[in-house]
Amino acid sequence: LLKLAAVAATSNCYAGGADYDDDHSEAECINGGGRIYGMRPTSLLTNIGVFSGLFSAILTPFFGSIVDHTPHRKALGQGSALLLSLIKGIEICLSQSTWFVVSVLQVLNFVLWNAYLCVAYAYTAELSMVPNEQTEYNSRFQLILYLTMLSFTFVVMTSSAVLQTDDVGTARISQTVAFAVCTSVFGLSFRHFFRPRPALRTCPTPGKTQLFRSGFQKLSFTFSHIWRHWYALRYF
């Protein structure tokens, strides 16, 4: 993404679209200081991270409320998994003309991933009520996660080396592998393993607005409890 954004910014700069006056525009273009969509290419990942964190902070409590207070836990998981898979499929088309769309999709991807995690953690928390067993389950899940990431990196880098692709080609390979894995694993999981679950508890006050507020109220209560009773956790 950074490489494609830099190419687009340079082209935009020399085409006269940069937001500079005539005295500085040529120097900026020569030094690679062009802008695209009002930002420098080097700020792309930072902006993606900022917007991803902002929207996730706003919406994740709402996702948690859906899991806790409605029987739609599985539906939320299925919806987020389906959209994540579709995004991976779209990102295979990464090119000079689609890089900005893919960048925007990265923000949506992060938000949907948090929605999926809310559902996944709710299911894994019900595997056992024994703390030691739950700890063992979580350790195994994390081990599988890291081994999968390592395997994914190995497959992508090996494929890239064999096919002798450039950076964009490598990105397309990674998204192709991710799309294949997501569609197969998500489809298998929600078809055969995840079951519909009832609401864990009733919402204090019925209504969609209260459902949205409920997540933030829980965050406020948890923050207050930690601040008053768990001094060391304040710093984490």
Side-chain angles (χ1 to χ4, degrees), residues 25 33 52 78 82 93 118 134 147 164 169 183 185 198-199 221-222 226:
S25 127
S52 297
Q78 284 178 315
L82 175 62
C93 302
C118 286
Q134 188 63 50
L147 289 177
Q164 298 182 349
T183 52
V185 173
F221 173 80
T222 301
I226 290 175

Side-chain angles (χ1 to χ4, degrees), residues 91-95 167-177:
E91 289 175 348
I92 297 175
C93 302
L94 176 66
S95 67
D167 292 340
V168 176
T170 302
R172 290 173 179 167
I173 291 174
S174 70
Q175 296 311 302
T176 302
V177 175

Side-chain angles (χ1 to χ4, degrees), residues 167-228:
D167 292 340
V168 176
T170 302
R172 290 173 179 167
I173 291 174
S174 70
Q175 296 311 302
T176 302
V177 175
F179 175 71
V181 172
C182 284
T183 52
S184 57
V185 173
F186 284 151
L188 181 66
S189 299
F190 283 99
R191 183 176 180 83
H192 297 289
F193 299 110
F194 290 136
R195 297 284 184 261
R197 299 291 297 159
L200 297 177
R201 56 185 65 85
T202 58
C203 193
T205 304
K208 295 181 180 179
T209 303
Q210 184 61 30
L211 186 65
F212 184 79
R213 293 173 52 191
S214 175
F216 291 97
Q217 290 172 345
K218 288 183 179 180
L219 284 178
S220 176
F221 173 80
T222 301
F223 176 81
S224 176
H225 185 76
I226 290 175
W227 186 265
R228 288 185 285 110

Side-chain angles (χ1 to χ4, degrees), residues 122-133:
Y123 277 109
T124 58
E126 296 176 348
L127 291 175
S128 175
M129 295 294 106
V130 179
N132 290 338
E133 291 182 357

Side-chain angles (χ1 to χ4, degrees), residues 74-212:
K74 183 178 179 180
L76 176 62
Q78 284 178 315
S80 58
L82 175 62
L83 291 175
L84 283 169
S85 300
L86 289 176
I87 288 174
K88 294 306 165 190
I90 295 173
E91 289 175 348
I92 297 175
C93 302
L94 176 66
S95 67
Q96 190 63 57
S97 61
T98 61
W99 69 268
F100 185 71
V101 175
V102 172
S103 299
V104 174
L105 288 176
Q106 291 302 301
V107 177
L108 180 59
N109 183 86
F110 190 81
V111 174
L112 291 171
W113 176 243
N114 279 299
Y116 175 78
L117 286 181
C118 286
V119 174
Y121 288 148
Y123 277 109
T124 58
E126 296 176 348
L127 291 175
S128 175
M129 295 294 106
V130 179
N132 290 338
E133 291 182 357
Q134 188 63 50
T135 300
E136 184 177 353
Y137 282 130
N138 290 334
S139 299
R140 291 180 180 179
F141 293 147
Q142 290 300 314
L143 177 61
I144 293 172
L145 173 63
Y146 290 123
L147 289 177
T148 303
M149 293 171 61
L150 181 62
S151 300
F152 174 82
T153 303
F154 176 78
V155 170
V156 171
M157 297 308 296
T158 302
S159 301
S160 176
V162 171
L163 299 175
Q164 298 182 349
T165 59
D166 58 6
D167 292 340
V168 176
T170 302
R172 290 173 179 167
I173 291 174
S174 70
Q175 296 311 302
T176 302
V177 175
F179 175 71
V181 172
C182 284
T183 52
S184 57
V185 173
F186 284 151
L188 181 66
S189 299
F190 283 99
R191 183 176 180 83
H192 297 289
F193 299 110
F194 290 136
R195 297 284 184 261
R197 299 291 297 159
L200 297 177
R201 56 185 65 85
T202 58
C203 193
T205 304
K208 295 181 180 179
T209 303
Q210 184 61 30
L211 186 65
F212 184 79

